[in-house]
Amino acid sequence: MAGPAMQQPSFLLANLKIDSTTKPFLQCCQELVKIIDDYPAKELHLIFPWLVESVFGSLDGVIVGWNLRFLQACSNQYNIVMDFLNPSGPMMKLVYKLQAEDYKYEIPVSFLPLHFPLSGLSLDSAYFVLVDTYLKYFLPTEGSVPPSPFTNKRGSVSPPAPRAPSVPFAGYGTHSTSLLKRHISHQPSVTADPAAQEIWRSEALLQVFVEMWLHHYSLEMYQKLQSPQVKVRINILICACVHAPFFHLKHEPFTPTEEHVLVVRLLVKHLHAFSCSLKPEQVSSSAHSHTSPLEELKRVVVHRFVQQKLYVFLQHCFGHWPLDASFRVVLETWLSYIQPWRYTGEKTNPQTDQNKGVPEKWSLFVQENLLMYTKLFQGFLNRVVRTDLVNVKNALMVFRVAKVFAQPNLSEMIQKGEQLFLEPEHVLHHRQHRCFLSPGHGGSFLSARQPVVTDRVFRVKSHVYGLEGQDCQYKQMFGTELRGTVLKLIQIIDQARQTAKKISDQSAEVAANNSFMSWFGMGSPDLNYTFNGGEVDDTGACVKTHEFLERSLDYLCQIFRLNAGQLSQLMATLGSGQDDGNSKQLPDSVQGEKGLILTDLGRMQVINGLRRFEIEYQGDPELQPIRSYENAILVRLFFKISSLVNERFGGHMDALCSRSDFLGQLGRHYLASPEAAADGRSPETRVTAERNRRPRLSLRMLASYRTLLMLLLLYLFGALFSSGPMSSTLLILTGGVIKTCTSILTSMGKENVGFWQK
């Protein structure tokens, strides 16, 4: 192809920079397409770094780029961007063109973008759609990877050569200048398999994604991974097209965002679908010598590329994620990984699949991923016992996990894997020269493949020791220790179920009353007053909190083989320590130097709403905050009046209330000391307490709108009988005194009768 008249490279780049700020976006893209088509790689390699920066943003964050993370389909630029960045679009055409001429670009580790910033990223943004498109293009479930449209001068684009064993793992705490080194041998490969020449691009793309999204180790984990049995070596080719708009790498405790976990789940789901598309005749080990490179990649992709890093990533999330409903994204990522049978491409029905169970062919996957099931399940239990299960979103998460692990055959497969791991060590002594291999061992995973290990005992031990180290202390999922935690969880779930059921019933009553009173315009305007305890389950039906918890109890009993008698006995043991007024008891606590300190049981009781501390005002009632049903002006006015009266006639009040006759009782009725002062739980000082216990006049009740309304009605009623304000006031006071005297005389009569009966 004859190129146009050559410009100086500096002029071409300068013109592009000017055009990007002055011309419309569509015109700029059209001119870029023409330049990529017409100009040779010698001219294009100088504009490539600028183009990457313009599209994805600068490494220092000053240039935002095309903002792929927020670009939605409704935008006018969406289709233009998608066409330009498509795997077969102009941007990738430029990458292939430069690759064929062996141009290299290095990115320092300190600039490698490794995590998402906080934002409202949605699944229909351009970034997510592009990730999904690239995965389907380079890791197709049907057909093969499209060939590269360009070749180098020797007729092929050579894959990267294996990295030398001396190259260290570029991870946490190292000072390597580049995480993804490019070591390509440029030897003629005329006789090489064309399919093998193309498959390395799929491998490179996958490893770049894994390094960007799952390369997050704590210092402790990194040191564990440096053991001879677990050390990982990286040898991949970085493609500039996957430069993602993340923040820069920081040496701080890593905290993934929900968006980050969502893109990891997208990767996991596609890799399962890619792996499950392996042809049935290629699954057996006898056919490995006849498989194509793409089929071989399908067979090893999950175990060799993702397992180790995803395990570390999920374990970190389980231990550091906040105890709230946002954990759902982490949970679903975990559940997606441990259920590869959901991505076989077959049409599924959630109701029938639950009864059908897990096919036996997946037992090897379960055993080779044993820690993904057992260790992470234990981590989930540790979270659940500290979570508010009355919250419907948290109850739904417990239900989801219990339902997944209750699938027929799955618990048996997990238990079989644990039995294989606990096999005595002496059975492996004749194989000690074969070290336990980690999933990430080796350079290019498709070249120099390790021998197939047929012994399942060795496979399971290799998996556990590879992820946890040779000195790990394995805790059985179906062992005695964990069973105690499960029984504790069942108790917590049952307590939360009772609380949620009570709240749901009360909410139904309030909703019914509001529905009736709304006819008269007297319904509660507060929409938060009712309890919305519903959430959609797997079948699309709306389920309430206590129903989720009831199903969870059933599933847990199935998983850990608890019969109805054992469950009833457990619930009876739980109920024997509680009375009908359980909700009014204080949470379990111990007395400390500064007051009560909640125990672990007390925290669980508070979190799940089983018990609570009564929050009430225990100081001087006259000084408590003005309520919404009180008139602020009248409260302050009556407080001043009563304070003047109490100060001036305090001695007379003391003398009156100290009498034992009828007048004394009448004085104590109207001038009684505040009840809160005699409670003994108030933190007030002794001087204040003594002052509050003295008889005094309180007029605050007259500032209540209810009292004012009552008085208004009485005055209106008096007006109907031609009674003036003074007469009505006198009648009201007289009626109040007569009522008080009657109640006092009645109580005195009861005391006298009791005295003579004794």
PDB file of all heavy atoms in Angstrom, residues 19 225 329 382 391 536 633 696:
ATOM      1  N   ASP A  19      -5.794  19.451  16.689  1.00  0.00           N
ATOM      2  CA  ASP A  19      -7.112  19.046  16.209  1.00  0.00           C
ATOM      3  C   ASP A  19      -7.980  18.491  17.335  1.00  0.00           C
ATOM      4  O   ASP A  19      -9.202  18.660  17.330  1.00  0.00           O
ATOM      5  CB  ASP A  19      -6.967  17.987  15.116  1.00  0.00           C
ATOM      6  CG  ASP A  19      -6.354  18.562  13.838  1.00  0.00           C
ATOM      7  OD1 ASP A  19      -6.331  19.805  13.722  1.00  0.00           O
ATOM      8  OD2 ASP A  19      -5.892  17.768  12.995  1.00  0.00           O
ATOM      9  N   LEU A 225       3.828 -16.273  49.806  1.00  0.00           N
ATOM     10  CA  LEU A 225       3.946 -16.673  48.414  1.00  0.00           C
ATOM     11  C   LEU A 225       5.387 -16.762  47.943  1.00  0.00           C
ATOM     12  O   LEU A 225       5.652 -17.248  46.856  1.00  0.00           O
ATOM     13  CB  LEU A 225       3.190 -15.685  47.526  1.00  0.00           C
ATOM     14  CG  LEU A 225       1.671 -15.682  47.687  1.00  0.00           C
ATOM     15  CD1 LEU A 225       1.062 -14.597  46.823  1.00  0.00           C
ATOM     16  CD2 LEU A 225       1.082 -17.028  47.338  1.00  0.00           C
ATOM     17  N   VAL A 329     -21.748  -8.006  46.503  1.00  0.00           N
ATOM     18  CA  VAL A 329     -20.975  -8.142  45.266  1.00  0.00           C
ATOM     19  C   VAL A 329     -19.823  -9.123  45.452  1.00  0.00           C
ATOM     20  O   VAL A 329     -19.514  -9.913  44.552  1.00  0.00           O
ATOM     21  CB  VAL A 329     -20.454  -6.771  44.799  1.00  0.00           C
ATOM     22  CG1 VAL A 329     -21.584  -5.887  44.370  1.00  0.00           C
ATOM     23  CG2 VAL A 329     -19.616  -6.085  45.873  1.00  0.00           C
ATOM     24  N   ASN A 382     -17.745 -16.317  60.014  1.00  0.00           N
ATOM     25  CA  ASN A 382     -17.221 -15.314  60.951  1.00  0.00           C
ATOM     26  C   ASN A 382     -17.858 -13.947  60.721  1.00  0.00           C
ATOM     27  O   ASN A 382     -18.006 -13.163  61.668  1.00  0.00           O
ATOM     28  CB  ASN A 382     -15.698 -15.216  60.810  1.00  0.00           C
ATOM     29  CG  ASN A 382     -14.998 -16.475  61.283  1.00  0.00           C
ATOM     30  OD1 ASN A 382     -15.511 -17.202  62.126  1.00  0.00           O
ATOM     31  ND2 ASN A 382     -13.826 -16.745  60.733  1.00  0.00           N
ATOM     32  N   ASN A 391     -31.958  -7.457  59.140  1.00  0.00           N
ATOM     33  CA  ASN A 391     -31.914  -6.718  57.881  1.00  0.00           C
ATOM     34  C   ASN A 391     -32.136  -7.700  56.737  1.00  0.00           C
ATOM     35  O   ASN A 391     -31.445  -8.711  56.605  1.00  0.00           O
ATOM     36  CB  ASN A 391     -30.561  -6.026  57.730  1.00  0.00           C
ATOM     37  CG  ASN A 391     -30.474  -5.172  56.483  1.00  0.00           C
ATOM     38  OD1 ASN A 391     -30.703  -5.640  55.371  1.00  0.00           O
ATOM     39  ND2 ASN A 391     -30.125  -3.919  56.653  1.00  0.00           N
ATOM     40  N   VAL A 536     -36.377  -9.722  46.667  1.00  0.00           N
ATOM     41  CA  VAL A 536     -36.613 -10.697  45.607  1.00  0.00           C
ATOM     42  C   VAL A 536     -35.604 -11.828  45.725  1.00  0.00           C
ATOM     43  O   VAL A 536     -34.395 -11.592  45.878  1.00  0.00           O
ATOM     44  CB  VAL A 536     -36.508 -10.021  44.225  1.00  0.00           C
ATOM     45  CG1 VAL A 536     -36.696 -11.041  43.120  1.00  0.00           C
ATOM     46  CG2 VAL A 536     -37.549  -8.916  44.105  1.00  0.00           C
ATOM     47  N   ILE A 633     -42.501  28.352  73.865  1.00  0.00           N
ATOM     48  CA  ILE A 633     -42.649  29.601  74.623  1.00  0.00           C
ATOM     49  C   ILE A 633     -43.285  29.328  75.982  1.00  0.00           C
ATOM     50  O   ILE A 633     -42.831  29.838  77.027  1.00  0.00           O
ATOM     51  CB  ILE A 633     -43.496  30.600  73.823  1.00  0.00           C
ATOM     52  CG1 ILE A 633     -42.775  30.955  72.511  1.00  0.00           C
ATOM     53  CG2 ILE A 633     -43.765  31.861  74.645  1.00  0.00           C
ATOM     54  CD1 ILE A 633     -43.575  31.872  71.611  1.00  0.00           C
ATOM     55  N   ARG A 696     -41.665  20.150  94.855  1.00  0.00           N
ATOM     56  CA  ARG A 696     -41.668  21.386  94.080  1.00  0.00           C
ATOM     57  C   ARG A 696     -42.850  21.374  93.121  1.00  0.00           C
ATOM     58  O   ARG A 696     -43.404  20.324  92.783  1.00  0.00           O
ATOM     59  CB  ARG A 696     -40.359  21.541  93.309  1.00  0.00           C
ATOM     60  CG  ARG A 696     -40.045  20.384  92.407  1.00  0.00           C
ATOM     61  CD  ARG A 696     -38.728  20.587  91.712  1.00  0.00           C
ATOM     62  NE  ARG A 696     -38.364  19.442  90.912  1.00  0.00           N
ATOM     63  CZ  ARG A 696     -37.346  19.434  90.067  1.00  0.00           C
ATOM     64  NH1 ARG A 696     -36.593  20.522  89.954  1.00  0.00           N
ATOM     65  NH2 ARG A 696     -37.066  18.364  89.377  1.00  0.00           N
TER      66      ARG A 696
END
